[in-house]
Amino acid sequence: MNIPDESETPLLDTLVQMTLNAFERSGLDPETYLLTRIAALVAMGASPASYLLNVGAADDIGVPPEKIRGTLVAIAPVVGTARVVTAAGGIDEAFGLRLLPGGGEEEGAVT
């Protein structure tokens, strides 16, 4: 297997540098930092795989699912119902954390 050196991975290197020490530079407590990142992923319409790191880290530090659910409720009026329902389904798919009854498939769900 050929492992690329830094000169062969400029995009990856840039992404790593962008996030390096972001938590420390944010001035936020760990829970707020992770909930903010989850909110940003929702707003962007991120794929389920994008939630793995942040929801996993939130779970690791003891952020209860109710706080993640509350974050989705708080941002719903700004980002819209479709994004929030999609995000809840993506978080469920990626992490097995059920935030909506029936995974968002319940009767009357707006997507």
Side-chain angles (χ1 to χ4, degrees):
M1 174 178 217
N2 183 15
I3 298 175
D5 64 27
E6 287 184 27
S7 64
E8 296 175 14
T9 58
L11 178 57
L12 179 60
D13 297 338
T14 299
L15 295 173
V16 168
Q17 288 300 314
M18 286 173 46
T19 59
L20 191 63
N21 301 318
F23 168 67
E24 291 83 8
R25 291 190 317 253
S26 75
L28 300 172
D29 63 89
E31 182 176 288
T32 303
Y33 178 76
L34 290 167
L35 292 173
T36 302
R37 290 176 63 96
I38 291 167
L41 290 171
V42 174
M44 294 174 47
S47 68
S50 298
Y51 295 101
L52 282 172
L53 177 64
N54 294 286
V55 174
D59 183 56
D60 288 347
I61 66 164
V63 176
E66 294 77 24
K67 291 266 186 143
I68 296 172
R69 190 176 297 111
T71 299
L72 297 181
V73 169
I75 65 172
V78 177
V79 301
T81 305
R83 288 235 191 235
V84 171
V85 170
T86 299
I91 290 169
D92 183 27
E93 182 180 325
F95 201 70
L97 180 61
R98 188 117 0 212
L99 297 172
L100 293 172
E105 301 298 323
E106 71 276 2
E107 186 176 324
V110 178
T111 59

Coordinates of all heavy atoms in Angstrom, one line a residue:
M1 N 0.8 -1.2 0.0 CA 0.0 0.0 0.0 C 0.9 1.2 0.0 O 1.8 1.4 0.8 CB -0.9 0.0 1.2 CG -1.7 1.2 1.4 SD -2.8 1.1 2.8 CE -4.2 1.9 2.2
N2 N 0.6 2.2 -0.8 CA 1.4 3.4 -1.0 C 0.7 4.5 -0.1 O -0.4 4.9 -0.4 CB 1.4 3.8 -2.4 CG 2.3 5.1 -2.6 OD1 3.1 5.4 -1.7 ND2 2.2 5.7 -3.8
I3 N 1.3 4.9 1.0 CA 0.8 6.0 1.8 C 1.3 7.3 1.3 O 2.5 7.5 1.2 CB 1.2 5.7 3.3 CG1 0.6 4.4 3.8 CG2 0.7 6.9 4.2 CD1 1.1 4.0 5.2
P4 N 0.4 8.2 1.0 CA 0.8 9.5 0.5 C 1.5 10.4 1.5 O 1.2 10.3 2.7 CB -0.5 10.2 0.0 CG -1.6 9.5 0.8 CD -1.1 8.1 1.1
D5 N 2.5 11.1 1.1 CA 3.1 12.1 2.0 C 2.3 13.4 2.0 O 1.4 13.5 1.2 CB 4.6 12.3 1.7 CG 4.8 12.9 0.3 OD1 4.0 13.7 -0.2 OD2 5.9 12.7 -0.2
E6 N 2.7 14.3 2.8 CA 1.9 15.6 2.9 C 1.8 16.3 1.6 O 0.8 16.9 1.3 CB 2.6 16.5 3.9 CG 2.4 16.1 5.4 CD 2.9 17.0 6.4 OE1 3.0 18.2 6.1 OE2 3.3 16.6 7.4
S7 N 2.8 16.3 0.7 CA 2.7 17.0 -0.5 C 1.7 16.4 -1.5 O 1.3 17.1 -2.4 CB 4.1 17.1 -1.2 OG 4.5 15.8 -1.5
E8 N 1.3 15.2 -1.2 CA 0.3 14.5 -2.1 C -1.1 14.7 -1.6 O -2.0 14.2 -2.2 CB 0.7 13.0 -2.2 CG 2.0 12.8 -2.9 CD 2.4 11.3 -2.8 OE1 1.5 10.5 -2.6 OE2 3.5 11.0 -3.1
T9 N -1.3 15.3 -0.4 CA -2.6 15.4 0.2 C -3.0 16.8 0.6 O -3.3 17.0 1.8 CB -2.8 14.4 1.4 OG1 -1.8 14.7 2.4 CG2 -2.6 12.9 1.0
P10 N -2.9 17.7 -0.3 CA -3.1 19.1 0.2 C -4.5 19.4 0.7 O -4.6 20.2 1.6 CB -2.8 20.0 -1.1 CG -3.0 19.0 -2.2 CD -2.6 17.6 -1.7
L11 N -5.5 18.8 0.2 CA -6.8 19.0 0.6 C -7.0 18.4 2.1 O -7.5 19.1 3.0 CB -7.9 18.3 -0.3 CG -9.3 18.5 0.1 CD1 -9.7 19.9 0.3 CD2 -10.2 17.8 -0.8
L12 N -6.6 17.2 2.3 CA -6.7 16.6 3.6 C -5.9 17.4 4.6 O -6.3 17.7 5.7 CB -6.2 15.1 3.6 CG -6.2 14.4 4.9 CD1 -7.6 14.3 5.5 CD2 -5.6 13.0 4.7
D13 N -4.7 17.8 4.2 CA -3.8 18.6 5.1 C -4.5 19.9 5.5 O -4.5 20.4 6.6 CB -2.5 18.9 4.5 CG -1.7 17.6 4.2 OD1 -2.0 16.6 4.9 OD2 -0.8 17.7 3.3
T14 N -5.2 20.6 4.5 CA -5.9 21.8 4.8 C -7.0 21.6 5.8 O -7.2 22.3 6.7 CB -6.4 22.4 3.5 OG1 -5.3 22.7 2.6 CG2 -7.2 23.7 3.8
L15 N -7.8 20.5 5.6 CA -8.9 20.2 6.5 C -8.4 19.9 7.9 O -9.0 20.4 8.8 CB -9.7 19.0 5.9 CG -10.4 19.2 4.6 CD1 -11.1 17.9 4.1 CD2 -11.5 20.3 4.7
V16 N -7.4 19.2 8.0 CA -6.8 18.9 9.3 C -6.4 20.2 10.0 O -6.7 20.4 11.2 CB -5.6 17.9 9.2 CG1 -4.9 17.8 10.6 CG2 -6.1 16.5 8.8
Q17 N -5.7 21.1 9.3 CA -5.3 22.3 9.9 C -6.4 23.2 10.3 O -6.4 23.9 11.2 CB -4.4 23.1 8.9 CG -3.0 22.5 8.7 CD -2.2 22.4 10.1 OE1 -2.2 23.4 10.8 NE2 -1.6 21.3 10.4
M18 N -7.5 23.2 9.5 CA -8.7 24.0 9.8 C -9.3 23.6 11.1 O -9.9 24.4 11.9 CB -9.8 23.9 8.7 CG -9.4 24.6 7.4 SD -10.5 24.3 6.1 CE -12.1 24.4 6.8
T19 N -9.3 22.3 11.5 CA -10.0 21.8 12.7 C -9.0 21.7 13.8 O -9.5 21.5 15.0 CB -10.7 20.5 12.4 OG1 -9.8 19.5 12.0 CG2 -11.8 20.7 11.4
L20 N -7.7 21.7 13.6 CA -6.7 21.6 14.6 C -6.9 22.6 15.7 O -6.9 23.8 15.4 CB -5.3 21.6 14.0 CG -4.2 21.2 14.9 CD1 -4.3 19.7 15.3 CD2 -2.9 21.4 14.2
N21 N -7.1 22.3 16.9 CA -7.2 23.2 18.0 C -8.5 24.0 18.0 O -8.6 25.0 18.7 CB -6.0 24.1 18.2 CG -4.8 23.3 18.4 OD1 -4.8 22.3 19.2 ND2 -3.7 23.6 17.8
A22 N -9.5 23.7 17.1 CA -10.7 24.5 17.0 C -11.4 24.5 18.3 O -12.0 25.6 18.7 CB -11.6 23.9 15.9
F23 N -11.5 23.4 19.1 CA -12.1 23.5 20.4 C -11.5 24.5 21.3 O -12.2 25.3 21.9 CB -12.1 22.1 21.0 CG -12.5 22.1 22.5 CD1 -13.9 22.4 22.8 CD2 -11.6 21.8 23.5 CE1 -14.3 22.5 24.1 CE2 -12.0 21.9 24.8 CZ -13.3 22.2 25.1
E24 N -10.2 24.4 21.4 CA -9.5 25.4 22.3 C -9.7 26.8 21.9 O -9.9 27.7 22.7 CB -8.0 25.0 22.4 CG -7.7 23.7 23.1 CD -7.8 22.5 22.2 OE1 -8.0 22.6 21.0 OE2 -7.8 21.4 22.8
R25 N -9.7 27.0 20.6 CA -9.8 28.4 20.1 C -11.3 28.9 20.2 O -11.5 30.1 20.3 CB -9.4 28.5 18.7 CG -7.9 28.3 18.5 CD -7.4 28.6 17.1 NE -8.3 28.1 16.1 CZ -7.9 27.0 15.3 NH1 -6.8 26.4 15.4 NH2 -8.8 26.6 14.4
S26 N -12.2 28.0 20.3 CA -13.6 28.4 20.4 C -14.0 29.1 21.7 O -14.9 29.9 21.7 CB -14.6 27.2 20.1 OG -14.6 26.4 21.3
G27 N -13.4 28.7 22.8 CA -13.7 29.2 24.1 C -15.0 28.7 24.7 O -15.5 29.1 25.7
L28 N -15.5 27.6 24.0 CA -16.8 27.0 24.5 C -16.5 25.8 25.3 O -15.4 25.2 25.2 CB -17.6 26.5 23.3 CG -18.0 27.6 22.3 CD1 -18.7 27.0 21.0 CD2 -19.0 28.6 22.9
D29 N -17.4 25.5 26.2 CA -17.3 24.2 27.0 C -17.5 23.1 26.0 O -18.1 23.2 24.9 CB -18.3 24.2 28.1 CG -19.7 24.2 27.7 OD1 -20.3 23.1 27.4 OD2 -20.3 25.3 27.5
P30 N -17.0 21.9 26.3 CA -17.1 20.7 25.4 C -18.6 20.4 24.9 O -18.8 20.2 23.7 CB -16.6 19.5 26.2 CG -15.7 20.2 27.2 CD -16.3 21.5 27.6
E31 N -19.5 20.5 25.8 CA -20.9 20.2 25.4 C -21.4 21.2 24.4 O -22.0 20.8 23.4 CB -21.8 20.1 26.6 CG -23.3 19.8 26.3 CD -24.1 19.7 27.5 OE1 -24.0 18.7 28.3 OE2 -25.0 20.6 27.7
T32 N -21.3 22.5 24.7 CA -21.7 23.5 23.8 C -21.0 23.4 22.4 O -21.6 23.6 21.4 CB -21.5 24.9 24.4 OG1 -22.2 25.0 25.6 CG2 -22.0 26.0 23.5
Y33 N -19.7 23.1 22.5 CA -18.9 23.0 21.2 C -19.5 21.9 20.3 O -19.7 22.1 19.2 CB -17.5 22.7 21.6 CG -16.6 22.5 20.4 CD1 -16.1 23.5 19.7 CD2 -16.1 21.2 20.1 CE1 -15.2 23.3 18.6 CE2 -15.3 21.0 19.0 CZ -14.8 22.0 18.3 OH -14.0 21.8 17.2
L34 N -19.8 20.7 20.9 CA -20.3 19.6 20.1 C -21.7 19.8 19.7 O -22.0 19.5 18.5 CB -20.1 18.3 20.9 CG -18.7 17.8 21.1 CD1 -18.6 16.7 22.1 CD2 -18.1 17.4 19.8
L35 N -22.5 20.4 20.5 CA -23.9 20.7 20.1 C -23.9 21.7 18.9 O -24.7 21.6 18.0 CB -24.8 21.2 21.2 CG -25.1 20.1 22.3 CD1 -25.8 20.7 23.5 CD2 -25.9 19.0 21.7
T36 N -23.0 22.7 19.0 CA -22.9 23.7 17.9 C -22.4 23.0 16.6 O -23.0 23.3 15.5 CB -21.9 24.8 18.3 OG1 -22.3 25.4 19.5 CG2 -21.7 25.8 17.2
R37 N -21.5 22.1 16.7 CA -21.0 21.4 15.5 C -22.2 20.5 14.9 O -22.3 20.5 13.7 CB -19.8 20.6 15.8 CG -18.6 21.4 16.1 CD -17.4 20.6 16.5 NE -16.9 19.7 15.5 CZ -16.0 19.9 14.6 NH1 -15.3 21.1 14.7 NH2 -15.6 19.0 13.7
I38 N -22.9 19.9 15.8 CA -24.1 19.1 15.3 C -25.1 20.0 14.6 O -25.6 19.7 13.5 CB -24.7 18.3 16.4 CG1 -23.7 17.2 16.9 CG2 -26.0 17.7 16.0 CD1 -24.1 16.5 18.2
A39 N -25.4 21.2 15.2 CA -26.3 22.1 14.6 C -25.8 22.6 13.2 O -26.5 22.7 12.2 CB -26.5 23.3 15.5
A40 N -24.5 22.8 13.1 CA -23.9 23.2 11.8 C -24.0 22.1 10.8 O -24.3 22.4 9.6 CB -22.4 23.6 12.0
L41 N -23.8 20.9 11.2 CA -24.0 19.7 10.3 C -25.4 19.7 9.7 O -25.7 19.4 8.6 CB -23.6 18.4 10.9 CG -22.1 18.2 11.2 CD1 -21.9 17.0 12.1 CD2 -21.3 18.1 9.9
V42 N -26.4 19.9 10.6 CA -27.8 19.9 10.3 C -28.1 21.0 9.2 O -28.7 20.8 8.2 CB -28.7 20.0 11.5 CG1 -30.2 20.2 11.1 CG2 -28.6 18.9 12.4
A43 N -27.6 22.2 9.5 CA -27.8 23.3 8.6 C -27.2 23.1 7.3 O -27.8 23.6 6.3 CB -27.2 24.6 9.3
M44 N -26.2 22.3 7.2 CA -25.5 22.0 5.9 C -26.2 20.8 5.2 O -25.8 20.6 4.0 CB -24.0 21.7 6.1 CG -23.3 22.9 6.6 SD -21.6 22.5 7.0 CE -21.1 21.5 5.6
G45 N -27.0 20.1 5.9 CA -27.6 18.9 5.2 C -26.6 17.8 5.1 O -26.5 17.1 4.1
A46 N -25.8 17.6 6.1 CA -24.7 16.6 6.1 C -25.2 15.2 6.0 O -26.3 14.9 6.3 CB -23.9 16.8 7.4
S47 N -24.3 14.4 5.5 CA -24.6 12.9 5.3 C -24.5 12.3 6.7 O -23.9 12.8 7.6 CB -23.6 12.3 4.3 OG -22.3 12.3 4.9
P48 N -25.2 11.1 6.8 CA -25.1 10.4 8.1 C -23.7 10.1 8.6 O -23.4 10.3 9.8 CB -25.8 9.0 7.8 CG -26.8 9.4 6.7 CD -26.1 10.4 5.8
A49 N -22.8 9.9 7.7 CA -21.4 9.6 8.1 C -20.8 10.8 8.8 O -19.9 10.7 9.7 CB -20.5 9.2 6.9
S50 N -21.3 12.0 8.5 CA -20.7 13.2 9.1 C -21.1 13.4 10.5 O -20.4 14.1 11.3 CB -21.3 14.5 8.3 OG -20.9 14.4 7.0
Y51 N -22.1 12.7 11.0 CA -22.5 12.8 12.4 C -21.7 11.9 13.3 O -21.7 12.1 14.5 CB -24.0 12.5 12.5 CG -24.9 13.5 11.9 CD1 -25.4 13.3 10.6 CD2 -25.1 14.7 12.5 CE1 -26.2 14.2 10.0 CE2 -25.9 15.7 11.8 CZ -26.4 15.4 10.6 OH -27.2 16.4 10.0
L52 N -21.1 10.9 12.7 CA -20.4 9.9 13.6 C -19.4 10.5 14.6 O -19.5 10.2 15.8 CB -19.7 8.8 12.7 CG -20.6 7.8 12.1 CD1 -19.8 6.9 11.1 CD2 -21.2 6.9 13.1
L53 N -18.6 11.3 14.1 CA -17.5 11.9 15.0 C -18.1 12.7 16.1 O -17.8 12.6 17.3 CB -16.5 12.7 14.2 CG -15.4 13.4 15.0 CD1 -14.6 12.3 15.7 CD2 -14.6 14.2 14.1
N54 N -19.0 13.6 15.7 CA -19.5 14.6 16.7 C -20.5 14.0 17.6 O -20.5 14.3 18.8 CB -20.1 15.8 15.9 CG -19.0 16.6 15.2 OD1 -18.2 17.3 15.9 ND2 -18.9 16.4 13.9
V55 N -21.5 13.2 17.2 CA -22.4 12.6 18.0 C -21.7 11.5 18.9 O -22.0 11.4 20.1 CB -23.6 11.9 17.3 CG1 -24.5 11.1 18.2 CG2 -24.4 13.0 16.5
G56 N -20.7 10.8 18.4 CA -19.9 9.9 19.2 C -19.2 10.6 20.3 O -19.1 10.2 21.4
A57 N -18.6 11.8 19.9 CA -17.8 12.5 20.9 C -18.8 13.1 22.0 O -18.4 13.1 23.2 CB -17.0 13.7 20.3
A58 N -20.0 13.5 21.6 CA -20.9 14.0 22.5 C -21.3 12.9 23.5 O -21.4 13.1 24.7 CB -22.2 14.6 21.8
D59 N -21.6 11.7 23.0 CA -21.9 10.6 23.8 C -20.7 10.3 24.8 O -21.0 10.0 26.0 CB -22.2 9.4 23.0 CG -22.7 8.2 23.8 OD1 -23.6 8.3 24.5 OD2 -22.0 7.1 23.6
D60 N -19.5 10.3 24.3 CA -18.3 10.0 25.1 C -18.2 10.9 26.3 O -17.7 10.5 27.4 CB -17.1 10.1 24.3 CG -16.9 9.0 23.3 OD1 -17.7 8.0 23.4 OD2 -16.1 9.1 22.4
I61 N -18.6 12.2 26.1 CA -18.5 13.1 27.3 C -19.8 13.2 28.1 O -19.9 14.0 29.0 CB -18.0 14.5 26.8 CG1 -19.1 15.3 26.0 CG2 -16.7 14.5 26.2 CD1 -18.9 16.7 25.9
G62 N -20.8 12.4 27.7 CA -22.0 12.3 28.5 C -23.1 13.3 28.2 O -24.0 13.6 29.0
V63 N -23.1 13.8 27.0 CA -24.2 14.7 26.5 C -25.4 13.8 26.3 O -25.4 12.9 25.5 CB -23.8 15.4 25.2 CG1 -25.0 16.3 24.7 CG2 -22.6 16.3 25.4
P64 N -26.5 14.1 27.0 CA -27.7 13.2 26.9 C -28.4 13.4 25.6 O -28.3 14.5 25.0 CB -28.6 13.7 28.1 CG -28.1 15.0 28.5 CD -26.7 15.1 28.0
P65 N -29.0 12.4 25.0 CA -29.7 12.5 23.8 C -30.8 13.7 23.8 O -31.0 14.3 22.8 CB -30.4 11.2 23.6 CG -29.6 10.2 24.4 CD -29.1 11.0 25.6
E66 N -31.3 14.0 25.0 CA -32.3 15.1 25.1 C -31.7 16.4 24.7 O -32.4 17.3 24.2 CB -32.8 15.1 26.5 CG -33.6 14.0 27.0 CD -32.8 12.7 27.3 OE1 -31.6 12.9 27.7 OE2 -33.4 11.6 27.2
K67 N -30.4 16.6 24.9 CA -29.7 17.8 24.6 C -29.6 17.9 23.0 O -29.7 19.0 22.5 CB -28.3 18.0 25.2 CG -28.4 18.2 26.7 CD -28.4 19.6 27.0 CE -28.3 19.8 28.5 NZ -27.5 20.9 29.0
I68 N -29.3 16.8 22.4 CA -29.2 16.8 21.0 C -30.5 17.0 20.4 O -30.7 17.8 19.4 CB -28.6 15.4 20.5 CG1 -27.1 15.3 21.0 CG2 -28.6 15.3 18.9 CD1 -26.5 13.9 20.7
R69 N -31.5 16.4 20.9 CA -32.9 16.6 20.5 C -33.3 18.1 20.7 O -33.9 18.7 19.8 CB -33.9 15.7 21.3 CG -35.3 15.7 20.7 CD -36.2 14.7 21.4 NE -35.7 13.3 21.3 CZ -35.2 12.6 22.3 NH1 -35.1 13.0 23.5 NH2 -34.8 11.3 22.0
G70 N -33.0 18.6 21.8 CA -33.2 20.0 22.1 C -32.6 21.0 21.1 O -33.1 22.0 20.7
T71 N -31.3 20.6 20.7 CA -30.6 21.4 19.7 C -31.4 21.4 18.4 O -31.5 22.4 17.7 CB -29.2 20.9 19.5 OG1 -28.5 21.0 20.8 CG2 -28.4 21.6 18.5
L72 N -31.9 20.2 18.0 CA -32.7 20.1 16.8 C -33.9 21.0 16.8 O -34.3 21.6 15.9 CB -33.0 18.7 16.4 CG -31.8 17.7 16.2 CD1 -32.3 16.3 15.9 CD2 -30.9 18.3 15.1
V73 N -34.6 20.9 18.0 CA -35.8 21.8 18.2 C -35.4 23.2 18.1 O -36.2 24.0 17.4 CB -36.4 21.5 19.6 CG1 -37.5 22.5 19.9 CG2 -37.0 20.0 19.6
A74 N -34.3 23.6 18.7 CA -33.9 25.1 18.7 C -33.6 25.6 17.3 O -33.9 26.7 16.9 CB -32.7 25.3 19.6
I75 N -33.0 24.7 16.4 CA -32.6 25.2 15.1 C -33.7 25.0 14.0 O -33.6 25.5 12.9 CB -31.3 24.6 14.7 CG1 -31.4 23.1 14.5 CG2 -30.2 25.0 15.6 CD1 -30.1 22.5 13.8
A76 N -34.7 24.2 14.3 CA -35.7 23.9 13.3 C -36.4 25.1 12.7 O -36.5 25.1 11.5 CB -36.8 23.0 13.9
P77 N -36.7 26.1 13.5 CA -37.3 27.3 12.8 C -36.4 28.0 11.8 O -36.8 28.7 10.9 CB -37.7 28.2 14.0 CG -37.8 27.4 15.2 CD -36.7 26.3 14.9
V78 N -35.1 27.8 12.0 CA -34.1 28.5 11.2 C -33.7 27.7 10.0 O -33.7 28.2 8.9 CB -32.8 28.9 12.0 CG1 -31.8 29.5 11.1 CG2 -33.1 29.7 13.2
V79 N -33.5 26.4 10.2 CA -33.0 25.6 9.1 C -34.2 24.8 8.4 O -34.0 24.3 7.3 CB -32.0 24.5 9.5 CG1 -30.7 25.2 10.1 CG2 -32.5 23.5 10.5
G80 N -35.3 24.7 9.0 CA -36.5 24.1 8.4 C -36.7 22.7 8.8 O -35.8 21.9 9.2
T81 N -37.9 22.3 8.7 CA -38.4 20.9 9.1 C -37.7 19.8 8.3 O -37.2 18.8 8.9 CB -39.9 20.8 8.9 OG1 -40.5 21.9 9.6 CG2 -40.4 19.5 9.4
A82 N -37.6 20.0 7.0 CA -37.0 18.9 6.2 C -35.5 18.6 6.6 O -35.2 17.5 6.7 CB -37.0 19.3 4.7
R83 N -34.8 19.7 6.9 CA -33.4 19.4 7.3 C -33.3 18.8 8.6 O -32.5 17.9 8.9 CB -32.6 20.8 7.4 CG -32.3 21.3 6.0 CD -30.8 21.6 5.9 NE -30.6 22.4 4.7 CZ -29.8 22.0 3.7 NH1 -29.1 20.9 3.8 NH2 -29.6 22.7 2.7
V84 N -34.2 19.2 9.6 CA -34.1 18.6 10.9 C -34.6 17.1 10.9 O -33.9 16.2 11.5 CB -35.0 19.4 11.9 CG1 -35.1 18.6 13.2 CG2 -34.4 20.8 12.1
V85 N -35.6 16.8 10.1 CA -36.1 15.4 10.0 C -35.0 14.6 9.3 O -34.7 13.4 9.8 CB -37.4 15.3 9.3 CG1 -37.8 13.9 9.0 CG2 -38.5 15.9 10.2
T86 N -34.4 15.1 8.3 CA -33.3 14.4 7.6 C -32.1 14.2 8.5 O -31.5 13.1 8.6 CB -32.9 15.2 6.3 OG1 -34.0 15.3 5.5 CG2 -31.7 14.5 5.6
A87 N -31.8 15.2 9.3 CA -30.6 15.1 10.2 C -30.9 14.0 11.3 O -30.1 13.2 11.6 CB -30.3 16.4 10.9
A88 N -32.1 14.0 11.9 CA -32.5 13.1 12.9 C -32.4 11.7 12.3 O -31.9 10.7 13.0 CB -33.9 13.3 13.4
G89 N -32.8 11.5 11.1 CA -32.7 10.2 10.4 C -31.2 9.8 10.2 O -30.8 8.7 10.4
G90 N -30.4 10.8 9.8 CA -29.0 10.6 9.6 C -28.3 10.2 10.9 O -27.4 9.3 10.9
I91 N -28.6 10.9 12.0 CA -28.0 10.6 13.3 C -28.4 9.2 13.7 O -27.6 8.4 14.2 CB -28.4 11.6 14.3 CG1 -27.7 13.0 14.0 CG2 -28.0 11.2 15.7 CD1 -28.2 14.1 14.8
D92 N -29.7 8.8 13.5 CA -30.1 7.5 13.8 C -29.4 6.4 13.0 O -28.9 5.4 13.5 CB -31.6 7.4 13.6 CG -32.2 6.0 14.0 OD1 -31.6 5.3 14.8 OD2 -33.2 5.6 13.4
E93 N -29.3 6.7 11.7 CA -28.6 5.7 10.8 C -27.1 5.6 11.1 O -26.5 4.5 11.1 CB -28.7 6.2 9.3 CG -28.1 5.3 8.3 CD -28.2 5.8 6.9 OE1 -29.3 6.4 6.6 OE2 -27.3 5.6 6.1
A94 N -26.4 6.7 11.4 CA -25.0 6.7 11.7 C -24.7 6.2 13.1 O -23.7 5.5 13.3 CB -24.4 8.1 11.5
F95 N -25.5 6.5 14.1 CA -25.2 6.3 15.4 C -26.2 5.4 16.2 O -25.9 5.0 17.3 CB -25.0 7.6 16.1 CG -24.1 7.5 17.4 CD1 -22.8 7.3 17.3 CD2 -24.7 7.7 18.6 CE1 -22.0 7.2 18.4 CE2 -23.9 7.6 19.7 CZ -22.6 7.4 19.6
G96 N -27.3 5.2 15.6 CA -28.4 4.4 16.3 C -29.1 5.2 17.4 O -29.6 4.6 18.3
L97 N -29.0 6.5 17.3 CA -29.6 7.3 18.4 C -31.0 7.8 17.8 O -31.0 8.7 16.9 CB -28.7 8.5 18.7 CG -29.2 9.5 19.7 CD1 -29.5 8.8 21.1 CD2 -28.2 10.6 19.9
R98 N -32.0 7.2 18.3 CA -33.4 7.5 17.8 C -33.9 8.9 18.4 O -34.1 9.0 19.6 CB -34.3 6.4 18.2 CG -35.6 6.5 17.6 CD -36.2 5.5 16.6 NE -35.5 4.4 16.2 CZ -35.7 3.9 15.0 NH1 -36.5 4.5 14.2 NH2 -35.2 2.8 14.6
L99 N -34.0 9.9 17.6 CA -34.4 11.2 18.0 C -35.9 11.5 17.6 O -36.5 12.4 18.2 CB -33.5 12.3 17.4 CG -32.1 12.2 17.8 CD1 -31.2 13.2 17.1 CD2 -31.9 12.4 19.3
L100 N -36.4 10.8 16.7 CA -37.8 10.9 16.3 C -38.5 9.5 16.5 O -37.9 8.5 16.2 CB -38.0 11.3 14.9 CG -37.5 12.7 14.5 CD1 -37.5 12.9 13.0 CD2 -38.4 13.8 15.2
P101 N -39.7 9.5 16.9 CA -40.4 8.2 16.9 C -40.5 7.6 15.5 O -40.8 8.3 14.6 CB -41.8 8.6 17.5 CG -41.9 10.0 17.7 CD -40.6 10.6 17.3
G102 N -40.3 6.4 15.4 CA -40.3 5.7 14.1 C -39.3 6.2 13.2 O -39.3 6.0 12.0
G103 N -38.2 6.9 13.6 CA -37.2 7.4 12.8 C -37.6 8.4 11.8 O -37.0 8.6 10.7
G104 N -38.7 9.1 12.1 CA -39.1 10.2 11.2 C -40.1 9.7 10.2 O -40.5 10.4 9.3
E105 N -40.5 8.4 10.2 CA -41.4 7.8 9.3 C -42.8 7.9 9.7 O -43.7 7.3 9.1 CB -40.9 6.4 9.0 CG -39.5 6.3 8.4 CD -39.4 7.0 7.1 OE1 -40.3 7.0 6.3 OE2 -38.3 7.6 6.9
E106 N -43.0 8.5 10.9 CA -44.4 8.5 11.5 C -45.4 9.2 10.6 O -45.0 10.1 9.8 CB -44.5 9.0 12.9 CG -44.3 10.5 13.0 CD -42.8 10.9 13.0 OE1 -41.9 10.1 12.9 OE2 -42.6 12.2 13.1
E107 N -46.6 8.9 10.7 CA -47.7 9.5 9.9 C -47.7 11.0 10.1 O -47.6 11.4 11.3 CB -49.0 8.9 10.2 CG -50.1 9.4 9.3 CD -51.4 8.7 9.6 OE1 -51.4 7.5 9.9 OE2 -52.5 9.4 9.5
G108 N -47.7 11.8 9.1 CA -47.8 13.2 9.2 C -46.5 13.9 9.3 O -46.4 15.1 9.4
A109 N -45.4 13.2 9.2 CA -44.1 13.8 9.2 C -43.9 14.6 8.0 O -44.2 14.2 6.9 CB -43.0 12.8 9.3
V110 N -43.4 15.8 8.2 CA -43.2 16.7 7.0 C -41.7 16.6 6.7 O -40.8 16.8 7.5 CB -43.5 18.2 7.4 CG1 -43.2 19.1 6.2 CG2 -44.9 18.3 7.8
T111 N -41.4 16.2 5.4 CA -40.0 16.1 5.0 C -39.8 16.8 3.7 O -40.7 17.2 3.0 CB -39.6 14.6 4.8 OG1 -40.5 14.0 3.9 CG2 -39.6 13.9 6.1

